[in-house]
Amino acid sequence: MSVSNIKITKVNSDRVKSFDFENITFGRTFTDHMFSADYIDGKWTNLEIRPTEPLSIHPGNMTLHYGQALFEGMKATKAQDGTPLLYRLDKYLTRINASAKRMCIPELPEEVFFGGLRELVTLDQAWIPPQSGSALYVRPFMFATDDHIGVRPSNTYKFMIIALPAGPYYGRPVSLRAESTYIRAALGGVGEAKAAGNYAAAMYPTKLAQEAGYDQVLWLDANEHKYIQEVGTMNIFFVIGDKVITPNTDGTILKGITRDSLITICKDKGIQVEERPISIDEVIDAHKNGSLKECFGSGTAAVIAKVNKIGYKDQDYSLAESYQISSMLKESINGIRAGIIEDKFGWLEKLPILTTV
Ligand SMILES: Cc1ncc(COP(=O)(O)O)c(C=O)c1O
């Protein structure tokens, strides 16, 4: 399982023993080690794990100017016997390479992506929080490293993986504003890629929605502002009548791995799922006639975020907080990830337990 060509330099004294797993502020504490690889002269090389530390960057670094950068977000968990578990690795590899292709960044060989992840998570497994529903958030990312002014693809790149402990996600239900002025993605654009710039472009409309009292933007299509796309860092689902409906992946939305997992679980449980264009008018009509039962977002970070209100054209539509299907789905995914529910779809990969940690 280990990739022999990764050079490993361990920290002298790890910080994990003094880390307070009961009070995790997500986003600020990074594990002891990071993985990096360089793309130079047409190949990925310099595979290395070393103590997490700042990078030194030239002011002419192309990423800073032209944004040729992308990322992924995954979670590692622990089974009850302490075995570290990775989730749906193949899907994340497919997606990072699809994003890379669109951003004109060289794709990653399987052994670099899988090897880096397996080695880093194995080494830093003591950072996987023990509480149920919590996880180690793993952030692979790629960016241009040429020092060059002038728009062209970089000749050199870095692929890195860092990781951060994340506490249990007790998210309260969220409110969404369907956005009729700004757009996130158009057909032919980069909506399907996890390109860094997608997130920068969403910040201003999100800020406006938050100033108006909503948590997130519900993105609508670029042509007609009619068909629902997704939310912030989540795909979106509606339960209308006895059907679960989610927008189809038409090239404008991220092919969410949680989305795919939820669809698989629903179908396995005999719940009818439709992946198709769904308009904001259809959702509002369903709300008016009482058939809109649930709405929830799906993503690696939250797993499922229940939605309690949708705002559209100065009108708010509140949802009854029943959440039957969304609660069942959340328990299923968290249960599989914690090794409590049988992994019947073969989504988990076990890593070795290190006895020295
Ligand atoms: C824009 C966007 N949509 C959807 C998702 C959900 O995808 P996943 O379930 O793979 O985390 C994410 C998070 O990665 C995202 O950033």
Side-chain angles (χ1 to χ4, degrees), residues 95 184 194 199 230 232-235 254 256-258 298-300:
R95 192 167 69 184
R184 178 185 175 275
K194 237 171 133 55
Y199 298 84
E230 60 183 322
T233 58
M234 295 189 290
N235 294 108
L254 200 79
I257 292 159
T258 317
S298 75
T300 296

Side-chain angles (χ1 to χ4, degrees), residues 8 57 77 82 90 118 128 151 170 189 201 212 226 231 246 340 350:
I8 299 181
I57 288 189
T77 46
D90 51 332
R118 287 170 181 151
I128 303 175
V151 178
Y170 300 118
K226 179 174 169 188
V231 175
T246 191
I340 298 165
K350 293 180 180 169

Side-chain angles (χ1 to χ4, degrees), residues 105-278:
I105 294 177
E107 292 174 36
L108 285 169
E110 190 177 300
E111 64 274 16
V112 175
F113 185 71
F114 290 169
L117 280 168
R118 287 170 181 151
E119 289 291 334
L120 184 70
V121 174
T122 301
L123 183 62
D124 277 346
Q125 62 184 250
W127 285 95
I128 303 175
Q131 310 95 317
S132 130
S134 54
L136 185 67
Y137 184 82
V138 181
R139 167 55 61 88
F141 58 108
M142 302 168 84
F143 59 98
T145 50
D146 277 10
D147 303 329
H148 174 89
I149 295 300
V151 178
R152 60 152 174 82
S154 180
N155 291 318
T156 61
Y157 297 87
K158 249 189 202 307
F159 166 55
M160 300 193 67
I161 310 172
I162 52 176
L164 307 84
Y169 195 93
Y170 300 118
R172 58 177 174 83
V174 295
S175 58
L176 308 178
R177 176 161 85 170
E179 177 58 63
S180 307
T181 304
Y182 299 97
I183 59 146
R184 178 185 175 275
L187 268 178
V190 293
E192 198 176 76
K194 237 171 133 55
N198 282 343
Y199 298 84
M203 285 178 191
Y204 180 63
T206 304
K207 177 175 165 264
L208 295 182
Q210 288 170 351
E211 282 169 2
Y214 300 89
D215 295 304
Q216 287 287 336
V217 171
L218 177 62
W219 296 106
L220 302 179
D221 79 279
N223 289 339
E224 299 176 79
H225 294 298
K226 179 174 169 188
Y227 291 101
I228 292 169
Q229 293 184 330
E230 60 183 322
V231 175
T233 58
M234 295 189 290
N235 294 108
I236 188 86
F237 285 78
F238 301 91
V239 181
I240 298 183
D242 56 1
K243 288 183 197 150
V244 172
I245 304 168
T246 191
N248 50 315
T249 52
D250 62 352
T252 62
I253 66 171
L254 200 79
K255 286 184 177 161
I257 292 159
T258 317
R259 173 187 181 281
D260 184 82
S261 303
L262 300 185
I263 291 172
T264 305
I265 293 170
C266 280
K267 288 184 176 165
D268 182 60
K269 294 195 181 291
I271 299 168
Q272 202 181 333
V273 183
E274 293 181 357
E275 296 176 68
R276 62 164 171 83
I278 175 162

Side-chain angles (χ1 to χ4, degrees), residues 25-43:
T25 308
F26 179 71
R28 293 220 296 264
T29 303
F30 299 86
T31 64
D32 286 309
H33 301 94
M34 61 186 192
F35 171 85
S36 70
D38 297 314
Y39 186 82
I40 303 170
D41 294 335
K43 60 178 196 304

Side-chain angles (χ1 to χ4, degrees), residues 46 76 81 87 109 117 153 163 172 215 223 243 315 319 326 331:
N46 299 340
D81 68 354
Y87 186 76
L117 280 168
R172 58 177 174 83
D215 295 304
N223 289 339
K243 288 183 197 150
Q315 186 80 37
L319 279 101
S326 41
E331 269 170 40

